[in-house]
Amino acid sequence: MKVRTMMLIAFLLCAMSGCDRKTDSQTNVEIIGGVAETNVGTVDKNSNMLSATEWLLQNTGNAELRIDSIKPSCDCMEMKYDKSMTAKSGKYFPVRAILHPEEVDTGAFIREVEVYGNFPSSPLVLTMRGRIVDQKK
């Protein structure tokens, strides 16, 4: 009898507290293609061709994704993204980085972009790597 009473009390407490409901709204981000690091290959710093990469972030959570800030590791990266800084559940948020090599840059490079927002893996670190050459020399 005591066990039944205890189980009944536990059931009633659970029902009143809402433990059978879904947890609070959450956001989660996945990179489409699953790769946070992109190799852009060889970049001629004297060329008019732009070296760029784009990451497509998908909101796989059940709440709206909110991006608080996007911070490149140097001024040599031009960032392009949706100015709304949001993505609804199931939608995508593209982040594009364009490399503008500086005069002194040559050799292997690694540049990072930190994406801060309301998701558990914040900041999400996206990496662009490659090699800068000077074809005029």
Side-chain angles (χ1 to χ4, degrees):
M1 184 70 171
K2 239 181 187 181
V3 172
R4 281 189 183 169
T5 305
M6 295 291 278
M7 288 178 66
L8 180 61
I9 291 172
F11 174 77
L12 290 173
L13 287 174
C14 184
M16 290 187 318
S17 69
C19 66
D20 62 334
R21 287 187 221 135
K22 258 188 160 174
T23 58
D24 291 340
S25 295
Q26 297 177 357
T27 56
N28 196 26
V29 172
E30 287 185 23
I31 301 169
I32 300 303
V35 181
E37 184 174 306
T38 302
N39 188 330
V40 295
T42 302
V43 178
D44 179 4
K45 70 178 177 180
N46 299 304
S47 173
N48 290 332
M49 297 289 291
L50 295 176
S51 292
T53 191
E54 183 173 79
W55 295 274
L56 196 55
L57 310 181
Q58 182 179 21
N59 179 1
T60 58
N62 58 6
E64 184 174 71
L65 170 67
R66 187 187 71 255
I67 304 296
D68 297 324
S69 64
I70 298 176
K71 297 180 180 180
S73 60
C74 73
D75 292 336
C76 64
M77 295 178 79
E78 176 185 353
M79 303 305 302
K80 297 202 178 257
Y81 47 87
D82 184 341
K83 299 303 180 201
S84 74
M85 304 287 277
T86 61
K88 298 209 180 292
S89 179
K91 299 298 181 183
Y92 303 94
F93 185 84
V95 177
R96 179 167 238 219
I98 302 168
L99 179 69
H100 297 284
E102 296 172 351
E103 187 61 35
V104 295
D105 287 342
T106 56
F109 73 89
I110 297 175
R111 301 291 186 265
E112 293 180 337
V113 177
E114 294 178 342
V115 181
Y116 293 85
N118 65 336
F119 48 93
S121 58
S122 180
L124 178 62
V125 179
L126 307 171
T127 305
M128 174 192 275
R129 68 172 49 235
R131 183 170 183 75
I132 298 174
V133 297
D134 186 350
Q135 297 278 336
K136 284 188 176 180
K137 286 187 173 182

